[in-house]
Amino acid sequence: MRICVVGTGYVGLVAGAGFADFGNDVMCADVDQGKVDRLRRGDIPIYEPGLQPLVQRNAAAGRLRFTTDVGQAAADVDAVFIAVGTPPKADGSADLSQVWSVARTVGQHASGFTVVVTKSTVPVGTADNIRGILQEVAPDKDFAVVANPEFLKEGDAVNDFMKPARVVIGTDDERARQRMRYLYEPFVRTLDRLLVMDARSAEVTKYACNAMLATRISFMNEMAGLCAQVGADVQQVRLGMAWDDRIGSRFLFPGAGYGGSCFPKDVKAIISTAREHGGHLQILEAVEEVNEAQKVLLAQRVLQRLGQRLHGKSVAIWGLAFKPQTDDVREAPAMTIARVLHQAGATLRLHDPVARETFSAELPAADRVQYFDDNYEAVSGADALVLVTEWRAYRRPDFRRIHDLMREHHLFDGRNIWDPAYVREIGFTYVGIGRDPEASEKAF
Ligand SMILES: NC(=O)c1ccc[n+]([C@@H]2O[C@H](COP(=O)([O-])OP(=O)(O)OC[C@H]3O[C@@H](n4cnc5c(N)ncnc54)[C@H](O)[C@@H]3O)[C@@H](O)[C@H]2O)c1
């Protein structure tokens, strides 16, 4: 098939390369000239495991090309995938201006029967609105609109895209259904997990999934708070829950709150959609409130332990990306924590295996903000070490070396990955999230 993917971010680039890998002819279009230039040189602008060889292989085979000319890319193709950003507006609703702009361009340039697909996460009714735009811009052209939400997760995006748990296709147009089935069948060969439904249901499905996952995280963070208050250990509670197959083990980890480019904005957007329709999503409003509190919790623990004024104190932070295996720092809890501690007067010593560049674009290196290439260098002379993102290399560090390097010896484990008894034996104080009654007693 001849495919155009508009937007070469985490979703568009993975989707474009993935479609090309199955032999399709893919043109990726992005308005960002710098990104397109880099991609043409085989240089991947984002960190995503496995993406570079996938892109390079398909570009070398001539099946994957890049352009800044969205109109030309959308002309004479079987399907156009819209994978541009849908960031939150100030009121929490999704800003769809990039989607509308692409729809207009596609309307002007498409030829022949073209399937226009939303891959971006878009509020219910967007497919209908795109149809309206296309009819207005090009009343004589033949289009079908499909809602095809993407469920990949950053850090494992290539695997998720190539072997999707399911593919959701929302449309009532039979020709579009057939085309989408033809395109996706190679991806779901083992188990026929292709779910065809109406566009509105497909649009809601995406938000419902992210809202559910965010709910599990906030639920566990709330349980962690309770455990800390009553002297229970949320790690034990989690295991007791996870073995129940009605509950399952995933997304039950308490931590520093959810972040990233999806959960925060999607929870806000679905709340906003409900409001626009006169409804009220009470659970999700609470999910958001719990998350906001959780994002500052670690910083509060540091202030409780080191004092409210941190002038002259030095705090190392390990893990800046919103989760491991990505360089994405959008809505990252580490940013909230860093800002609170910096405001309190602390000198920050920051480390992340890949997100240094993206994080420093928002929080530039300065007098009291220092970045390090080496995680041990980051703790040198620090009074506290705050673990925010659980990259693998942080899981079993050399604590004796860390102890020797630090000035004071306070550990704040935002992901409960360290053994409190072991690190205390070495001479640290330890605070986790909702675990270890001994630490809770000291901290609260
Ligand atoms: N990142 C994820 O893990 C993920 C997962 C599932 C769904 N989504 C959804 O997919 C969408 C894209 O997310 P992302 O993380 O890939 O975003 P992103 O910000 O990484 O990429 C969006 C790209 O679109 C380009 N763009 C903006 N306007 C354009 C236009 N008019 N024409 C051409 N290109 C344009 C930007 O330059 C950018 O490169 C969002 O709706 C998001 O919610 C994201």
Side-chain angles (χ1 to χ4, degrees):
M1 284 177 68
R2 290 156 308 162
I3 291 169
C4 163
V5 179
V6 186
T8 58
Y10 291 86
V11 168
L13 186 56
V14 172
F19 288 140
D21 211 43
F22 278 105
N24 298 292
D25 182 16
V26 180
M27 181 62 95
C28 287
D30 201 294
V31 285
D32 185 333
Q33 179 80 54
K35 239 182 207 183
V36 169
D37 288 344
R38 285 181 70 174
L39 286 164
R40 280 180 172 157
R41 291 196 301 268
D43 178 14
I44 311 299
I46 53 170
Y47 176 84
E48 190 57 58
L51 185 56
Q52 183 155 344
L54 187 71
V55 169
Q56 289 178 344
R57 177 166 78 234
N58 286 287
R63 290 189 297 263
L64 180 63
R65 287 169 295 149
F66 302 96
T67 180
T68 50
D69 190 337
V70 179
Q72 201 185 28
D76 203 24
V77 292
D78 299 305
V80 178
F81 284 78
I82 304 178
V84 295
T86 50
K89 290 201 276 200
D91 66 358
S93 64
D95 177 352
L96 295 174
S97 52
Q98 298 174 24
V99 174
W100 304 147
S101 145
V102 174
R104 284 187 183 283
T105 310
V106 172
Q108 284 154 2
H109 291 84
S111 51
F113 172 56
T114 308
V115 179
V116 179
V117 188
T118 51
K119 203 77 192 102
S120 301
T121 301
V122 289
V124 63
T126 302
D128 292 339
N129 291 336
I130 290 177
R131 196 176 301 114
I133 290 176
L134 295 170
Q135 272 160 5
E136 184 196 313
V137 176
D140 301 328
K141 292 187 186 172
D142 194 7
F143 293 106
V145 182
V146 175
N148 170 222
E150 181 50 57
F151 298 98
L152 65 76
K153 55 186 174 306
E154 285 175 27
D156 203 16
V158 172
N159 279 331
D160 284 345
F161 190 79
M162 300 309 274
K163 292 184 189 135
R166 77 305 205 185
V167 172
V168 169
I169 293 169
T171 185
D172 49 16
D173 186 295
E174 187 48 38
R175 294 170 304 167
R177 241 180 245 153
Q178 279 177 15
R179 222 171 245 194
M180 295 297 280
R181 207 176 259 290
Y182 183 75
L183 177 65
Y184 273 114
E185 251 164 18
F187 292 83
V188 291
R189 268 192 69 208
T190 325
L191 289 163
D192 188 8
R193 289 167 163 180
L194 218 136
L195 308 177
V196 181
M197 56 184 78
D198 64 281
R200 283 179 177 253
S201 302
E203 288 163 342
V204 174
T205 301
K206 172 64 192 177
Y207 284 100
C209 288
N210 276 358
M212 180 65 169
L213 296 173
T215 301
R216 282 173 73 102
I217 294 172
S218 275
F219 178 84
M220 282 315 287
N221 282 333
E222 208 162 47
M223 285 303 118
L226 177 70
C227 286
Q229 276 164 348
V230 301
D233 182 348
V234 75
Q235 294 293 91
Q236 304 301 327
V237 174
R238 181 181 66 79
L239 287 173
M241 294 168 67
W243 283 106
D244 185 327
D245 61 15
R246 294 168 305 177
I247 296 170
S249 60
R250 308 196 62 183
F251 282 81
L252 285 190
F253 288 89
Y258 60 77
S261 66
C262 292
F263 289 2
K265 95 173 160 58
D266 293 349
V267 169
K268 282 189 179 70
I270 194 172
I271 289 172
S272 167
T273 297
R275 276 206 204 109
E276 281 164 28
H277 289 78
H280 179 199
L281 295 179
Q282 298 175 55
I283 292 175
L284 292 180
E285 285 179 10
V287 163
E288 231 205 330
E289 205 180 307
V290 169
N291 195 57
E292 286 310 306
Q294 198 71 18
K295 280 170 82 169
V296 291
L297 186 77
L298 263 183
Q300 286 168 346
R301 294 285 173 265
V302 175
L303 295 172
Q304 280 168 358
R305 178 67 53 124
L306 268 65
Q308 296 297 315
R309 289 172 56 79
L310 297 180
H311 300 272
K313 298 278 184 193
S314 175
V315 179
I317 299 181
W318 279 6
L320 308 173
F322 86 92
K323 66 173 184 179
Q325 299 289 93
T326 181
D327 61 349
D328 199 341
V329 299
R330 289 178 278 188
E331 304 268 345
M335 189 61 76
T336 309
I337 292 164
R339 288 197 196 284
V340 172
L341 296 176
H342 189 252
Q343 190 130 36
T347 295
L348 303 179
R349 302 175 65 83
L350 308 171
H351 180 266
D352 189 283
V354 303
R356 174 184 175 153
E357 204 179 308
T358 44
F359 202 83
S360 61
E362 265 188 67
L363 187 66
D367 201 17
R368 288 192 290 111
V369 181
Q370 296 154 12
Y371 288 87
F372 296 89
D373 289 333
D374 180 82
N375 55 323
Y376 290 100
E377 232 180 279
V379 300
S380 180
D383 300 296
L385 167 59
V386 183
L387 180 289
V388 185
T389 308
E390 69 281 28
W391 286 91
R392 253 188 231 155
Y394 299 153
R395 285 181 181 264
R396 294 292 175 264
D398 183 344
F399 282 110
R400 290 184 199 284
R401 184 172 166 203
I402 295 171
H403 191 272
D404 288 347
L405 286 167
M406 287 177 74
R407 184 169 60 183
E408 286 185 40
H409 302 99
H410 304 293
L411 297 183
F412 297 85
D413 177 3
R415 302 288 168 180
N416 292 346
I417 59 173
W418 295 330
D419 177 354
Y422 174 64
V423 296
R424 269 199 210 107
E425 202 183 290
I426 291 173
F428 291 101
T429 71
Y430 173 91
V431 174
I433 302 283
R435 79 192 293 206
D436 191 58
E438 202 189 325
S440 322
E441 268 165 38
K442 286 184 195 155
F444 289 87

